[in-house]
Amino acid sequence: MKTFIYNVLPSRVIFGNGTLAQIVQEITNLGCSKALILTTPRQSTKGEQLKELLGDMAVDVYTNATMHTPTNVTDDAVGIVQKLGADVVIALGGGSTIGLAKAIALRTDLPQIAIPTTYAGSEATPIIGQTENSLKTTLKTLKVLPEVIIYDVSLTMTLPTRTTITSGLNAIAHAVEALYSKEANPITDTLAGQGISSIAKALPILVNDSQNLDARSEALYGAWVCGTCLSTVGMGLHHKLCHTLGGTFNMPHAETHTVILPHSMAYNAPYAQEAMAKVANSLGVSNAAQGIFDLSKSLGAPSTLKELGMKEEDLEKAADIASKSPYPNPAPLEKEGLLQLLRNAYGGVRPN
C-alpha cells in the first residue's frame, strides 16, 4: 500500500431520525446558552419552530442567509450576533445557511451547530466560499468547521424533488474530485465509493417516492460521506469552475454543479483513469462521465447552462477566470479546453 496522510477532523456527528430533539443538550455541551438561529427566507418557519424548541436558549432567528455567502450579508449578521450577545450560531438549512454560519465563525470564533436539510455536504468541511465584488473565493481553515452536526432525516422529508436531485448530484461531485485529488488516500477512496453509490441508488427511488424513509436516510448518509471526502482533500477543476460561475455570474449552486460535473469528469478522464474507473464501478456503468450524465438526465435534472440562465457570450470570460490562477488538477488547465467544456455544458452535449 502506498504511503498516505489522512487528517481526521474534530467534529461531533449525530445521525438518525428525530435527532433534532438533542439540540438543547448539544448547546449545553458546548457551554453555551444564547443561540442565534440562521435560515434562508424560505426556511424562516422552520427557524421559528426551532426557536420555540430552544425556548430561552434562542436569542433570535436571522433569516437572510444568501447563496454564495456575500460578504455584505455576513457584515449584517455579525452585527446582529454582537448586538444580541449570541454565544453560538445554529445553521438550519442547506449550503447558503451553513456558509453564513461559517462566515460568522471565521470573524468571531463562535462555535457552530449545523443542522443540514439538504445534501450539500458543506457542514462536514473546513472550507468556506465567500463572494465579494462578484468574485467568489475559498478558504480552508478549522475556524469554520462546525463543532456539531445534527443529521435528522425527518428534516429532509419535505425537500422538493428538484432540490433533492441537484443537491445529491452536487454531493457526488465532492466524492468524484476527492478520488483524483493529490491528497487522495485509501480512506477517502473508500468513503467516496460509498457516497457515490449511496446517493446514486437513493435518488431514483426518491424521484418516485419522496417520502421513502430508507432512501432519505441513504441519501443523507451519502451526503455526509461525500462531504467528509471534500473536507480532507483538495478540490480541482470542477469546483473551480462552479465557483467561477456562481460567484461571477450568480448561477445557482447545486444546479450548476449538476450540469458541469459530467463535463469536468470527461475533461479530466484521460489523466485520471483509475479514479474514473472507481466512479464507474460505484455507478455500475462502463464510462463514469456518461454514467453521471445519463443518471442526471434520467432524474429530470437540468442538463444545460443555457436553461440555468447562463449567457453564451459569457462562456469565454468564465473560461478565462477559471484558467488564470493555478490549482491542482489532473489535466492541464488550458483556456481553449475549458471553453470547449463550457460550450458542451451550455448545450448539454453528452460526453464522449
Side-chain angles (χ1 to χ4, degrees):
M1 182 175 290
K2 68 178 182 180
T3 300
F4 66 90
I5 297 173
Y6 177 68
N7 293 308
V8 180
L9 299 179
S11 278
R12 174 174 166 83
V13 176
I14 301 165
F15 188 99
N17 190 30
T19 51
L20 185 61
Q22 301 180 41
I23 182 68
V24 171
Q25 185 60 54
E26 293 304 319
I27 294 172
T28 302
N29 290 347
L30 290 172
C32 300
S33 59
K34 296 181 178 180
L36 177 65
I37 300 164
L38 310 174
T39 74
T40 60
R42 181 179 292 183
Q43 293 193 304
S44 60
T45 300
K46 286 186 176 180
E48 291 296 334
Q49 291 170 348
L50 179 56
K51 181 181 178 183
E52 186 175 340
L53 176 63
L54 295 184
D56 292 341
M57 279 190 163
V59 294
D60 206 351
V61 182
Y62 183 84
T63 62
N64 197 33
T66 305
M67 185 171 62
H68 304 306
T69 318
T71 55
N72 64 300
V73 173
T74 304
D75 293 340
D76 182 55
V78 169
I80 298 296
V81 165
Q82 294 171 339
K83 177 182 177 181
L84 298 176
D87 57 9
V88 60
V89 289
I90 300 176
L92 175 64
S96 298
T97 307
I98 291 165
L100 177 59
K102 288 182 171 185
I104 294 170
L106 182 64
R107 297 194 192 183
T108 65
D109 273 333
L110 285 184
Q112 307 167 69
I113 298 176
I115 308 171
T117 60
T118 72
Y119 307 131
S122 173
E123 68 282 349
T125 79
I127 302 168
I128 181 173
Q130 302 179 95
T131 303
E132 185 172 18
N133 299 323
S134 297
L135 184 65
K136 188 170 185 178
T137 57
T138 58
L139 175 68
K140 189 171 186 176
T141 169
L142 286 176
K143 286 182 70 174
V144 305
L145 182 71
E147 279 72 11
V148 179
I149 309 170
I150 297 178
Y151 289 104
D152 188 335
V153 179
S154 69
L155 297 177
T156 67
M157 299 300 286
T158 57
L159 196 62
T161 299
R162 181 182 172 97
T163 306
T164 295
I165 296 166
T166 57
S167 181
L169 290 167
N170 176 23
I172 287 177
H174 305 332
V176 169
E177 288 226 293
L179 284 168
Y180 58 62
S181 168
K182 285 202 312 180
E183 294 91 0
N185 60 73
I187 311 300
T188 54
D189 284 1
T190 300
L191 291 173
Q194 282 189 2
I196 294 169
S197 178
S198 292
I199 294 174
K201 289 176 181 176
L203 291 183
I205 297 172
L206 292 173
V207 166
N208 295 307
D209 180 10
S210 66
Q211 297 302 297
N212 189 300
L213 184 61
D214 288 339
R216 285 289 180 193
S217 298
E218 195 72 18
L220 191 59
Y221 170 75
W224 169 52
V225 168
C226 291
T228 300
C229 293
L230 175 66
S231 72
T232 56
V233 300
M235 297 289 104
L237 169 64
H238 174 81
H239 282 78
K240 175 66 174 180
L241 273 178
C242 291
H243 285 161
T244 297
L245 294 171
T248 302
F249 304 98
N250 200 35
M251 300 292 286
H253 183 81
E255 289 90 342
T256 300
H257 277 270
T258 296
V259 171
I260 290 293
L261 181 57
H263 303 287
S264 61
M265 290 171 65
Y267 184 95
N268 278 327
Y271 299 85
Q273 294 182 16
E274 184 179 350
M276 292 305 153
K278 291 176 180 177
V279 176
N281 182 61
S282 295
L283 294 172
V285 299
S286 58
N287 182 292
Q290 290 176 357
I292 288 292
F293 184 88
D294 294 344
L295 173 63
S296 180
K297 288 280 282 187
S298 72
L299 296 171
S303 60
T304 71
L305 290 178
K306 182 178 181 179
E307 68 189 281
L308 298 183
M310 186 73 182
K311 297 178 181 178
E312 189 170 10
E313 58 266 29
D314 286 335
L315 296 180
E316 185 161 358
K317 180 180 178 181
D320 189 50
I321 294 171
S323 61
K324 272 187 175 178
S325 55
Y327 48 91
N329 190 68
L333 300 168
E334 299 169 346
K335 182 183 174 181
E336 284 307 311
L338 297 183
L339 181 55
Q340 187 58 53
L341 184 166
L342 289 168
R343 285 173 176 156
N344 290 341
Y346 181 82
V349 178
R350 187 174 186 260
N352 294 324

